[in-house]
Amino acid sequence: MIRPILKFGAAELQRESEPVETFDGKLRDLARDMLETMYAAPGIGLAAPQVGVNLRLLVVDISAGEEKGNQIILVNPEILEAEGEQKGEEGCLSIPGFTAMVDRPKRIRIAGRDTRGNRIELEAEDLLARALCHEVDHLDGILYLDRISFFKRDLIKRKIRKLIRSGDW
Ligand code: NI
């Protein structure tokens, strides 16, 4: 089931999400819905707070569903190590129509659980590292706008306020 994606301005996007404690069918339904919602958008990552669920769960597929084997579902993710840096253009399904250059680590090691509670650990670099860092940020109530210059952020926020006023957001 495709769920509505909350947009910038929604309070749910700016709060810290709670760790998942119950690895049940409801969690698996949520993960499946999030993947479906992400692919339909289309996007390469989605975090539970973006669909209004206050839990530490993210999905990422940097092929946006074009290639098999790229799907990542991580529950209670934790970045164990980060090294290097990369600059790149980043967008967010909750901030449609905008992008900005964001600094991220070049490589990360990340751990978490699958939806059955099994521990997962993986290494990621380049775009995958960027996408995972972006989604983990969502679980802490952080948007990429919080990681860019004041001037760029202010410019985007003013444009969004204009869209809100005209009913186009
Ligand atoms: Ni996002």
Side-chain angles (χ1 to χ4, degrees):
M1 184 184 78
I2 294 174
R3 303 195 186 199
I5 298 175
L6 298 177
K7 289 185 187 172
F8 176 80
E12 289 91 335
L13 294 174
Q14 283 172 300
R15 66 184 182 199
E16 207 172 320
S17 292
E18 300 287 334
V20 171
E21 284 172 1
T22 311
F23 294 83
D24 58 3
K26 210 177 149 198
L27 182 70
R28 289 185 281 279
D29 286 347
L30 173 61
R32 192 179 334 107
D33 285 356
M34 283 171 56
L35 282 167
E36 199 180 332
T37 303
M38 176 183 79
Y39 289 136
I44 63 166
L46 192 68
Q50 292 181 276
V51 292
V53 179
N54 182 32
L55 287 174
R56 302 187 76 82
L57 165 63
L58 63 82
V59 298
V60 163
D61 180 345
I62 57 166
S63 83
E66 294 296 313
E67 296 165 37
K68 282 201 190 308
N70 283 290
Q71 216 173 69
I72 293 170
I73 300 172
L74 266 183
V75 182
N76 300 341
E78 209 182 322
I79 295 171
L80 304 175
E81 277 173 42
E83 60 169 46
E85 52 182 283
Q86 56 169 318
K87 287 184 193 299
E89 199 161 24
E90 210 167 298
C92 177
L93 292 176
S94 293
I95 314 171
F98 296 94
T99 58
M101 295 298 283
V102 184
D103 293 344
R104 296 287 184 186
K106 172 94 173 140
R107 269 179 297 278
I108 60 165
R109 202 156 59 81
I110 188 170
R113 297 193 178 271
D114 67 15
T115 55
R116 303 209 173 254
N118 304 304
R119 192 183 147 86
I120 302 171
E121 193 175 310
L122 56 109
E123 281 175 21
E125 59 178 20
D126 300 327
L127 181 60
L128 183 56
R130 172 178 298 283
L132 288 165
C133 289
H134 176 115
E135 301 312 328
V136 169
D137 269 356
H138 272 299
L139 305 181
D140 293 323
I142 297 168
L143 300 172
Y144 79 78
L145 295 182
D146 300 313
R147 297 197 178 276
I148 62 178
S149 74
F150 169 80
F151 296 100
K152 180 75 184 174
R153 176 165 64 243
D154 194 54
L155 180 71
I156 292 178
K157 283 185 176 178
R158 271 190 280 131
K159 287 180 178 168
I160 292 174
R161 278 197 288 273
K162 201 180 277 181
L163 289 170
I164 292 171
R165 277 199 303 274
S166 64
D168 296 319
W169 188 246

